[in-house]
Amino acid sequence: MNEQAPFTIEQFYKYINLGKLMGGKCKKCGVIHLPPRPLCNKCLSKEFEWVEISQKGKLLTYTIIHVAPPQFEQMAPYAVGIIQLEKGLRIPGMIRDIEHEEIEIGMELTVNFDTSAVPSQWPQWPRYYFKPTHPQ
Amino acid sequence: MLKGKPLVSIVSAGLSKFGKLEGLYAREIFAQAAKEAFDRCPNLDPKKEIQALFVGHMGESYEHQGHTGSTVADWAGLLHIPAIRTEAACASSAAALRAGIFAVLSGLFDVVMVGGVEKMTHRTTSEVTEFLAMASDFPFEQWHGITFPGLFALMATAHMHKYGTTEEQLAMVAVKNHHNGSLNPKAHMQKEVTLEKALSSRFIAWPLKLYDCSLITDGASCLIITKPEIAKKYTDLPIHIIGSGQASDSIGMYERESLTSLTAAKISAKQAYEMAGVKPEGIDVAEVHDCFTIAEIIAYEDLGFCKPGEGGQLIERGETKLDGRLPVNTSGGLKSKGHPVGATGTAQAYEIYLQLTEQADRRQVKDAKIGLAHNVGGSGATAAVHIFRRE
Ligand SMILES: CC(C)(COP(=O)(O)OP(=O)(O)OC[C@H]1O[C@@H](n2cnc3c(N)ncnc32)[C@H](O)[C@@H]1OP(=O)(O)O)[C@@H](O)C(=O)NCCC(=O)NCCS
Ligand SMILES: [Zn+2]
């Protein structure tokens, strides 16, 4: 992978487009930032390396959104949650491919990638989402 | 070091009607609040004596109008004084109050107006949902469809899972605050709600239902604060601010230490209590940020009114009711009085001012001497706590 790529949110989503969940590891104190940051919030270093994060996670908490902003109105109700990944990392995202009644805290979810609807104007970001690791 | 020494004194306060104020824009609503504050304080000549204005206002999207400081200063009849807007999402006017405190403490000003305003109800709920979400993390929360009710629902689910907090306990917060709001002629929704009705209302962001959510409201609030030494010139009963704390946290909820507590609120509370030399047990009346019912339960815990995880039991025991040990949200709170986001922080201070000066009428808490206001910005990336004392 490209060591020179900047440690930015823009670059994080470029990796998502390639089907990779990438974080920035601080070369000084070892902390991993997901999303990456240009300045370590622990030790203020700006030396990082990219590390690939496992797509396996566990659901920490979730909700079913019924009242949505305009661009999501057609999808409602939809589920979103925060998942726990390796090394204490967490990210929020939509939970798809599961009946809402079957969602439970602690269940194993896998990060998947949806690059089908990248906008033509800013922000040209794809979306990742979570789906059950062991479908029923 | 300060330990209860007044930082500034409130000599007057004003609040517009809260609600759906059809045809009125933010500057016009702010003028209502300012006028009440002027009228309440006949010994003060606003045009000659108010030297600066700080106004909390969250969003220019609602009215396509930014640059709120100058706009509302002019409409309040205070043309030419320095005026700026403070923005910290739903804590914008607690931030304005702090800016005012700093301004007075600096020695540069003796008399300052602080306040807040928001005009929301002319927009559709979907638009408001989008504008409010702007106070959360864009690339990871908004981008994935997470709304404000959604963020607090994530905390509610986590709190229920960790501590066994129930939907009934959440609904009890709504029942209590609607009762208080029914006694407040300025509240947006002055009606009682039953537990059954709250529990059977439709989902907004599961497990949060309609009656777990604060209202989309128009409104404005303000305070006139002075150097403590000169407060008596303006009123016989000044209310002193003796503690002020504020802290921030990661914008994204997923990066925070806890999903069941707001670290920024705990830090601000500690600062304010220490400055005031007051303990949680010493508080007689509190206004807390009940943007969602779960937020009030978490506030009890973060403010030390009960132990972590016991907020649900505190409401269930009725201790925070109007006639309880520690009445919370006597105004009706954001739930029933309404939540014009930028106006909320100083509207909480307004209610505490009424309580401590015994002007709260049918919702007066007897012998209230020390009050607290807890204002949260966004899902907890900002929090501010103030402690107030009567002479
Ligand atoms: C909950 C919410 C989505 C409801 O909006 P809505 O679905 O558009 O509801 P409407 O405005 O169409 O109102 C429908 C009815 O419900 C009532 N209502 C609206 N919001 C209500 C609330 N929060 N609690 C109780 N009743 C409410 C209305 O008065 C109306 O009653 P009526 O039919 O008797 O006139 C909206 O109030 C909301 O988004 N609240 C949260 C605001 C927020 O997030 N603030 C920032 C917090 S940090
Ligand atoms: Zn580091």
Side-chain angles (χ1 to χ4, degrees):
Chain A
M1 73 203 59
N2 181 4
E3 288 282 348
Q4 301 310 308
F7 292 87
T8 58
I9 289 166
E10 205 62 25
Q11 184 61 38
F12 170 88
Y13 274 115
K14 283 186 183 155
Y15 280 128
I16 294 291
N17 234 341
L18 302 173
K20 283 183 174 168
L21 188 63
M22 300 294 288
K25 181 173 180 182
C26 176
K27 285 187 179 169
K28 201 168 156 206
C29 77
V31 83
I32 299 175
H33 296 129
L34 185 73
R37 297 170 173 233
L39 180 65
C40 178
N41 65 356
K42 290 280 182 296
C43 76
L44 305 183
S45 154
K46 56 184 186 58
E47 301 296 318
F48 295 95
E49 59 189 346
W50 286 101
V51 287
E52 186 158 4
I53 310 297
S54 160
Q55 289 150 22
K56 300 255 174 298
K58 271 197 178 143
L59 186 60
L60 284 173
T61 186
Y62 70 103
T63 173
I64 315 293
I65 296 192
H66 292 256
V67 176
Q71 65 277 29
F72 290 96
E73 255 180 330
Q74 294 202 324
M75 294 175 72
Y78 53 89
V80 299
I82 298 178
I83 64 165
Q84 179 79 63
L85 299 158
E86 60 178 325
K87 304 190 174 84
L89 299 170
R90 301 163 165 187
I91 46 167
M94 275 199 204
I95 308 168
R96 295 209 237 149
D97 302 340
I98 180 168
E99 297 294 328
H100 292 165
E101 300 72 45
E102 284 167 16
I103 302 176
E104 40 179 46
I105 289 180
M107 74 185 301
E108 291 179 28
L109 295 172
T110 303
V111 183
N112 271 66
F113 305 94
D114 182 354
T115 54
S116 65
V118 177
S120 57
Q121 289 176 325
W122 183 87
Q124 288 168 298
W125 299 332
R127 285 193 171 82
Y128 60 81
Y129 64 96
F130 313 136
K131 68 174 204 183
T133 308
H134 312 288
Q136 297 293 310
Chain B
M1 14 58 116
L2 292 157
K3 288 285 181 228
K5 185 170 161 285
L7 304 168
V8 299
S9 305
I10 304 175
V11 298
S12 190
L15 189 80
S16 74
K17 170 78 178 77
F18 271 25
K20 203 175 165 94
L21 308 180
E22 229 154 291
L24 289 183
Y25 291 116
R27 60 185 88 176
E28 295 153 348
I29 302 169
F30 190 82
Q32 279 186 21
K35 178 68 175 150
E36 182 188 325
F38 299 157
D39 289 351
R40 203 184 269 281
C41 196
N43 295 347
L44 177 121
D45 181 344
K47 279 190 169 296
K48 284 216 178 87
E49 293 181 277
I50 296 179
Q51 297 165 300
L53 171 71
F54 300 92
V55 60
H57 182 224
M58 177 179 160
E60 47 275 279
S61 311
Y62 295 101
E63 288 180 55
H64 225 273
Q65 181 68 65
H67 213 158
T68 316
S70 304
T71 312
V72 304
D74 184 8
W75 250 255
L78 301 175
L79 195 63
H80 300 317
I81 60 169
I84 53 165
R85 161 184 168 190
T86 54
E87 192 275 311
C90 316
S92 292
S93 58
L97 171 54
R98 280 182 51 96
I101 294 173
F102 301 154
V104 171
L105 283 177
S106 75
L108 206 53
F109 303 112
D110 292 338
V111 182
V112 161
M113 179 176 263
V114 300
V117 65
E118 212 76 51
K119 169 69 188 179
M120 307 172 80
T121 65
H122 59 307
R123 295 300 199 128
T124 64
T125 298
S126 182
E127 285 173 322
V128 172
T129 303
E130 182 181 22
F131 299 159
L132 286 170
M134 289 177 186
S136 66
D137 180 83
F138 180 68
F140 297 91
E141 292 176 341
Q142 295 173 50
W143 186 246
H144 297 279
I146 307 181
T147 59
F148 252 99
L151 286 164
F152 280 90
L154 290 172
M155 282 195 266
T157 312
H159 204 275
M160 289 165 145
H161 183 76
K162 184 166 178 191
Y163 298 118
T165 306
T166 64
E167 292 184 41
E168 284 76 13
Q169 291 169 336
L170 297 183
M172 284 172 195
V173 173
V175 172
K176 169 182 74 71
N177 291 354
H178 271 279
H179 171 73
N180 296 350
S182 76
L183 305 174
N184 181 354
K186 285 194 173 164
H188 183 163
M189 204 179 258
Q190 296 166 39
K191 65 173 196 211
E192 303 257 4
V193 57
T194 61
L195 192 68
E196 296 66 39
K197 184 165 179 194
L199 278 171
S200 59
S201 60
R202 66 192 149 95
F203 285 116
I204 303 299
W206 176 94
L208 300 182
K209 311 176 191 71
L210 183 66
Y211 276 92
D212 290 306
C213 302
S214 57
L215 297 159
I216 293 169
T217 303
D218 308 326
S221 55
C222 68
L223 311 169
I224 300 173
I225 60 174
T226 71
K227 259 193 340 206
E229 302 80 56
I230 62 167
K232 280 283 175 65
K233 196 171 129 191
Y234 301 111
T235 174
D236 292 336
L237 198 53
I239 296 305
H240 304 304
I241 299 186
I242 55 171
S244 175
Q246 186 185 333
S248 56
D249 203 343
S250 297
I251 183 80
M253 177 176 287
Y254 62 98
E255 289 200 282
R256 302 200 194 129
E257 186 184 314
S258 169
L259 293 171
T260 53
S261 164
L262 299 181
T263 303
K266 289 200 287 195
I267 297 172
S268 349
K270 187 160 184 283
Q271 290 171 1
Y273 284 132
E274 273 174 13
M275 203 180 279
V278 169
K279 292 200 158 60
E281 304 77 59
I283 304 297
D284 299 316
V285 58
E287 290 282 300
V288 309
H289 197 91
D290 60 325
C291 53
F292 298 93
T293 51
I294 182 65
E296 178 161 330
I297 287 186
I298 291 176
Y300 297 160
E301 300 170 8
D302 291 344
L303 293 168
F305 296 166
C306 63
K307 295 205 187 88
E310 294 182 0
Q313 294 155 43
L314 194 70
I315 181 78
E316 194 161 352
R317 288 197 301 269
E319 292 186 29
T320 54
K321 284 186 174 165
L322 209 43
D323 57 359
R325 166 177 70 88
L326 167 50
V328 173
N329 284 331
T330 58
S331 67
L334 286 47
K335 176 70 214 63
S336 154
K337 181 183 62 182
H339 186 24
V341 283
T344 285
T346 38
Q348 295 175 318
Y350 173 91
E351 177 71 7
I352 298 295
Y353 175 79
L354 291 191
Q355 288 289 356
L356 301 186
T357 53
E358 291 182 50
Q359 300 183 69
D361 202 19
R362 287 194 295 160
R363 50 184 205 286
Q364 182 64 47
V365 174
K366 254 184 77 189
D367 298 328
K369 295 207 167 41
I370 296 187
L372 177 149
H374 155 278
N375 192 196
V376 173
S379 64
T382 295
V385 173
H386 285 93
I387 298 177
F388 308 78
R389 172 167 63 78
R390 65 180 284 170
E391 286 235 301

